Amino acid sequence: MLLTAFLLLAAVDPTFLKTSAASVEPTSGDLSAAGVEYRPLFQKGRIVRGVTRFAEVTVAPGAATPVVNYPRDEEIYYVTAGSGEVVYAGRKHALRKDDFLYLPPTVAHGLANGGDNPLKVLVMTYPIPAAAPISTPDSLQIANSNDVKKQVVGNHPPSTLYQLLIGDRKSTRDRIAAAHVVTSLFVMEFAPGGTNTPHHHDREEEIYILLDGEGEMVAGGGLDGVEGRHPAKPGDAYFIRLNATVGFYNRETQNAPKARILAVRSLYPFAR
């Protein structure tokens, strides 16, 4: 009986994956080049199903990534540090910290750094289903999160304020409404002791990465999905499977700083 139970437990896939930018060694990829460090935090596989990759790219001063073009992948860039340029359809556009961009399929794009400090960008890539029609915006869709209003969303408590950055093409609430597979890219700001109340999503995979502050990340664990709390520091990233518990608790001490999380949700590739 004990052996049978052990084998059953060993065969169960985890409900979440955890990593951090600091613990991932640079590796080669299509964005690799001299002066460019490419760190894949999550990649498509047995657990990660609808996300091609979630990676951190660091471009040193004077360096640039190759220009890439994906016929059936959409991408999102979020600048976490430094400044530089994005090349989009042969034209250069300035980048600064907290800029976010939607990069559609079929349009060539890349990163360059002509400044004095490293440029760090989170790169999120999602495959568009073969049957889905592709729409390509006429110009680069870019904004800065500091220009997006903070608001309470849904039934979440007022201790967490949301900035709704990118949504799907039908969105009327996000700053940029353009995505096919990504349903929401947003920033959450947690007051001391604040939470977004642990919850789950039955049609979407989700990734959280802690940008600022410290607290406890909530990620579903065990066979019954009961929430587990995990100490979190800046750079910690979590991939949350379909229907797994997800949430965050900021520190409750009186002088605790606000915490910020960048989150991205995307449709799970259900079989027909």
Side-chain angles (χ1 to χ4, degrees), residues 40-51:
L41 277 65
F42 303 111
Q43 299 185 86
K44 186 175 182 179
R46 179 176 176 177
I47 308 303
V48 182
R49 300 297 301 276
V51 184

Side-chain angles (χ1 to χ4, degrees), residues 67-111:
V67 174
V68 294
N69 188 334
Y70 307 120
R72 297 297 305 184
D73 285 331
E74 63 184 1
E75 283 201 316
I76 289 173
Y77 285 178
Y78 190 97
V79 180
T80 58
S83 60
E85 295 175 326
V86 60
V87 179
Y88 182 86
R91 299 184 62 183
K92 294 182 178 181
H93 303 263
L95 290 178
R96 60 190 176 102
K97 185 178 183 299
D98 293 315
D99 276 350
F100 57 95
L101 306 74
Y102 176 77
L103 302 164
T106 75
V107 177
H109 56 278
L111 293 166

Side-chain angles (χ1 to χ4, degrees), residues 25-40:
E25 292 295 326
T27 186
S28 61
D30 58 351
L31 296 176
S32 300
V36 178
E37 291 185 346
Y38 172 75
R39 291 179 170 86

Side-chain angles (χ1 to χ4, degrees), residues 82-165:
S83 60
E85 295 175 326
V86 60
V87 179
Y88 182 86
R91 299 184 62 183
K92 294 182 178 181
H93 303 263
L95 290 178
R96 60 190 176 102
K97 185 178 183 299
D98 293 315
D99 276 350
F100 57 95
L101 306 74
Y102 176 77
L103 302 164
T106 75
V107 177
H109 56 278
L111 293 166
N113 184 359
D116 299 324
N117 300 303
L119 169 67
K120 290 183 178 292
V121 178
L122 293 174
V123 176
M124 298 159 251
T125 310
Y126 297 84
I128 296 176
I134 293 177
S135 60
T136 302
D138 295 331
S139 58
L140 175 64
Q141 299 196 68
I142 181 173
N144 191 278
S145 65
N146 293 308
D147 299 325
V148 178
K149 70 176 181 179
K150 299 176 182 179
Q151 59 184 303
V152 176
V153 171
N155 295 321
H156 294 293
S159 60
T160 301
L161 298 179
Y162 288 72
Q163 293 171 289
L164 305 177
L165 309 182

